[in-house]
């Protein structure tokens, strides 16, 4: 069981599960039809492939890092799965275009900009290495790093389903203000989780002079003057969204639980935890948020 858990967490399959769950939540809350099965397969495989490729690119083995050791011990397995996922993603893209040929000619300019912008930011996050050996990426911009990750995740789970739904149904893409409010809520929630993860990397970031929030302001100030206020801001955006959508009180309460749990976890970060704690508990909050949103919507339907 321990090997299986490590495979799911270290292999980034849990991220794939989270992106599916958050997409379903956002789809229900925006009251749009579900996307095709191919679409969900693509975002699952794309997420797993992206994160795995990023970790493969990290150089050196950190002896006290279980994830680093796991990647070193499973090089062949990871290489094979990456090859399989590459072929699967290519095949699914071709299949999707064959089933929905109108998507190429009928795409809206605004939708096209969003479709290009989100993956472009994801690529720029890890960036590239110049001829001089210097790495240029958004990841090295300590204070902006969590917002970049939050932007990519929020765009993927909130905006992408609406765009691809319009392409699959061959209908005009009409962005709604409430959809962008939901996008902002997801952006803030994921950003807070990323700041929590920066606490894990405090020592390494400090040595590399990467000015993350926790390196710049210290642990306690990061928790009480950045994490908690921004979490409250994200919660406020959801309450505003719930007010406009006329959500019942029980549904609102269930959807506020992830934000309350996030604050509780943030306060617990004053003591150092294992990497599995960060992966299972902090990333697990994404799954908790999605499940609460889905349960809340099911109550609305009753």
């Amino acid at each position: 069981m321990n090997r299986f858990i490590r495979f799911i967490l270290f292999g980034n399959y849990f991220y794939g599960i989270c992106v599916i769950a958050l997409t379903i939540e956002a789809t229900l809350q925006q009251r749009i039809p579900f996307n095709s099965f191919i679409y969900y397969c693509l975002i699952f495989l794309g997420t797993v492939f992206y994160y795995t490729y990023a970790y493969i690119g990290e150089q050196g083995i950190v002896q006290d890092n279980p994830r680093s050791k796991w990647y070193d011990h499973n090089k062949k397995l990871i290489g094979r799965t990456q090859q399989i996922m590459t072929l699967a993603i290519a095949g699914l893209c071709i299949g999707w275009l064959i089933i929905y040929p109108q998507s190429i000619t009928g795409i809206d300019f605004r939708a096209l900009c969003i479709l290009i912008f989100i993956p472009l930011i994801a690529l720029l996050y890890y960036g590239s290495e110049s001829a001089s050996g210097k790495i240029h990426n958004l990841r090295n911009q300590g204070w902006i790093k969590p917002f970049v990750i939050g932007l990519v995740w929020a765009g993927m789970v909130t905006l992408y389903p609406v765009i691809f739904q319009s392409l699959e149904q061959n209908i005009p893409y009409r962005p709604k203000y409430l959809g962008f409010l939901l996008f902002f809520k997801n952006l803030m929630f994921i950003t807070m989780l990323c700041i929590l993860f920066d606490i894990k990397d405090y020592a390494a970031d400090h040595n590399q002079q990467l000015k993350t929030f926790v390196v710049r302001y210290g642990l306690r100030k990061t928790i009480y003057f950045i994490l908690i206020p921004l979490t409250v801001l994200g919660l406020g955006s959801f309450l505003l969204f719930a007010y406009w959508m006329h959500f019942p009180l029980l549904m609102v309460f269930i959807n506020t639980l992830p934000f309350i749990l996030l604050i509780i976890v943030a306060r617990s970060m004053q003591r150092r935890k294992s990497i599995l704690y960060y992966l299972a508990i902090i990333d697990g909050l994404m799954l908790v948020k999605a499940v609460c949103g889905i349960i809340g919507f099911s109550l609305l339907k009753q």
Side-chain angles (χ1 to χ4, degrees), residues 117-174:
F117 179 73
I118 297 299
L120 179 62
I121 293 297
L123 292 174
L124 291 176
Y125 177 76
Y126 286 102
S128 60
E129 185 174 349
S130 64
S132 62
K134 188 176 181 180
I135 298 176
H136 303 278
N137 57 44
L138 296 175
R139 189 184 186 188
N140 288 334
Q141 309 301 317
W143 70 271
I144 201 175
K145 180 176 73 168
F147 293 98
V148 170
I149 300 173
L151 174 68
V152 172
W153 272 82
M156 181 64 68
V157 304
T158 311
L159 303 181
Y160 264 44
V162 180
I163 294 174
F164 275 87
Q165 180 62 221
S166 67
L167 294 176
E168 292 176 355
Q169 299 295 326
N170 197 21
I171 57 177
Y173 170 64
R174 294 189 176 92

Side-chain angles (χ1 to χ4, degrees), residues 238-266:
F238 167 73
L239 293 177
L240 190 60
F241 176 81
Y243 172 78
W244 263 312
M245 297 297 289
H246 305 289
F247 288 164
L249 186 60
L250 180 59
M251 180 181 180
V252 173
F253 172 74
I254 291 175
N255 279 273
T256 60
L257 288 178
F259 292 92
I260 296 173
L261 291 174
L262 198 156
I263 293 175
I264 294 173
V265 171

Side-chain angles (χ1 to χ4, degrees), residues 15-36 39-44 47 152-165 182 186 190 286-287 289-291 293-294:
Y15 284 135
I17 295 171
C18 288
V19 79
I20 294 292
L22 288 170
T23 298
I24 293 174
E25 178 205 16
T27 298
L28 293 174
Q29 290 182 342
Q30 294 180 93
R31 297 178 179 177
I32 62 173
F34 286 107
N35 297 93
S36 64
Y39 173 77
Y40 292 107
C41 291
L42 278 171
I43 61 173
F44 175 84
T47 301
V152 172
W153 272 82
M156 181 64 68
V157 304
T158 311
L159 303 181
Y160 264 44
V162 180
I163 294 174
F164 275 87
Q165 180 62 221
L182 181 61
N186 287 329
I190 302 299
M286 288 194 291
L287 191 58
K289 175 185 176 299
V291 170
I294 294 169

Side-chain angles (χ1 to χ4, degrees), residues 79-115:
R80 289 172 184 170
T81 55
Q82 287 293 92
Q83 291 174 354
I84 293 172
M85 281 190 284
T86 300
L87 294 175
I89 291 171
L92 288 169
C93 287
I94 294 172
W96 192 87
L97 290 173
I98 292 174
I99 297 173
Y100 306 104
Q102 74 279 359
S103 62
I104 300 177
T105 57
I107 189 169
D108 183 270
F109 178 75
R110 293 169 298 179
L112 180 62
C113 290
I114 296 174
L115 289 178

